[in-house]
Amino acid sequence: DAGVIQSPRHEVTEMGQEVTLRCKPISGHNSLFWYRQTMMRGLELLIYFNNNVPIDDSGMPEDRFSAKMPNASFSTLKIQPSEPRDSAVYFCASSFSSGQATPEAFFGQGTRLTVV
Amino acid sequence: AQKVTQAQTEISVVEKEDVTLDCVYETRDTTYYLFWYKQPPSGELVFLIRRNSFDEQNEISGRYSWNFQKSTSSFNFTITASQVVDSAVYFCALSEAYTGNQFYFGTGTSLTVIP
């Protein structure tokens, strides 16, 4: 089975440019998460969706960040305009939740973003 | 306040030694879940184990074992007879029932196994 698929794997962009990161969750999973990993802050949850609906976006740093999940098999994280401090590895993860219990989440390979 | 504390930033061991990675968590919830993930040098996060707060039984999977103690709020991870392939950053994470599916990750422990 294919795992969580993220694209691109690496992205280098100039400050001020728009960046779009993409994620295809595991088929059948109904929760999707976007995380950011930096040396300074570790793994931070940016936003998560349940059944394509954003549940908690309190981790989104500022208005420059936006995330969408138009359907169960695709999500995007957009940064506009990008800034050097956005440089990080962005992970997408998905899980299947059937009730109160928190299931394990499966992570993609991440997108390494460098903003110069 | 940090919900998950991994006090060991870096650990180095010689191959075949046993090593224990510590994880201490903090929660007021009675229903919660604990996880361990491995991040090898290639960068992906690999799920290792999930444990709920009502199950304090220790678990063993091959060379890996986990010790969950609610009395000390700890969920420690032991690798027996370590191998070079175990070199990675290991993350402990907590999810609380009242906050839904959000994971709180610790800062990770970087393990280096020296051949």
Side-chain angles (χ1 to χ4, degrees):
Chain A
D1 286 341
V4 176
I5 300 172
Q6 292 185 247
S7 63
R9 291 292 309 280
H10 303 273
E11 177 80 34
V12 179
T13 191
E14 291 186 348
M15 182 173 65
Q17 295 297 306
E18 176 181 304
V19 176
T20 299
L21 310 182
R22 296 172 175 79
C23 175
K24 176 179 170 57
I26 293 173
S27 177
H29 282 189
N30 57 1
S31 293
L32 183 139
F33 310 82
W34 283 100
Y35 282 88
R36 178 171 68 176
Q37 185 179 34
T38 62
M39 288 294 293
M40 291 295 295
R41 302 174 69 91
L43 276 159
E44 303 174 275
L45 177 66
L46 301 177
I47 185 171
Y48 84 88
F49 296 83
N50 193 43
N51 294 322
N52 311 339
V53 175
I55 302 299
D56 184 354
D57 65 354
S58 60
M60 295 286 262
E62 48 198 91
D63 291 346
R64 297 186 297 107
F65 285 69
S66 63
K68 293 182 179 179
M69 191 165 186
N71 57 62
S73 59
F74 184 65
S75 177
T76 59
L77 178 68
K78 184 180 294 186
I79 308 172
Q80 183 190 20
S82 57
E83 296 182 2
R85 60 190 168 124
D86 300 330
S87 298
V89 179
Y90 290 82
F91 285 101
C92 176
S94 71
S95 67
F96 175 72
S97 176
S98 60
Q100 292 284 341
T102 303
E104 58 271 27
F106 295 90
F107 284 74
Q109 293 191 298
T111 295
R112 182 174 295 277
L113 174 65
T114 304
V115 183
V116 299
Chain B
Q2 190 75 9
K3 286 183 178 286
V4 177
T5 301
Q6 296 181 255
Q8 305 150 307
T9 305
E10 296 181 0
I11 300 177
S12 291
V13 298
V14 177
E15 200 171 19
K16 298 184 182 178
E17 287 185 346
D18 299 346
V19 59
T20 295
L21 309 182
D22 298 334
C23 173
V24 175
Y25 62 91
E26 180 182 336
T27 180
R28 295 180 182 178
D29 212 346
T30 56
T31 302
Y32 54 89
Y33 304 86
L34 296 164
F35 305 81
W36 276 94
Y37 282 84
K38 173 182 180 181
Q39 187 173 39
S42 51
E44 72 273 24
L45 280 155
V46 179
F47 165 74
L48 295 178
I49 189 170
R50 168 185 179 269
R51 175 69 71 201
N52 74 56
S53 54
F54 300 108
D55 183 2
E56 282 195 78
Q57 280 195 345
N58 293 331
E59 181 154 340
I60 298 174
S61 177
R63 296 184 297 107
Y64 295 172
S65 61
W66 290 270
N67 182 274
F68 177 28
Q69 292 197 342
K70 291 177 74 171
S71 60
T72 55
S73 297
S74 65
F75 187 44
N76 297 337
F77 174 29
T78 297
I79 301 174
T80 303
S82 59
Q83 299 177 0
V84 173
V85 293
D86 296 328
S87 297
V89 180
Y90 291 85
F91 292 93
C92 180
L94 164 74
S95 179
E96 299 164 313
Y98 81 94
T99 58
N101 286 337
Q102 176 167 181
F103 284 63
Y104 299 97
F105 281 90
T107 51
T109 296
S110 178
L111 172 66
T112 300
V113 180
I114 303 166

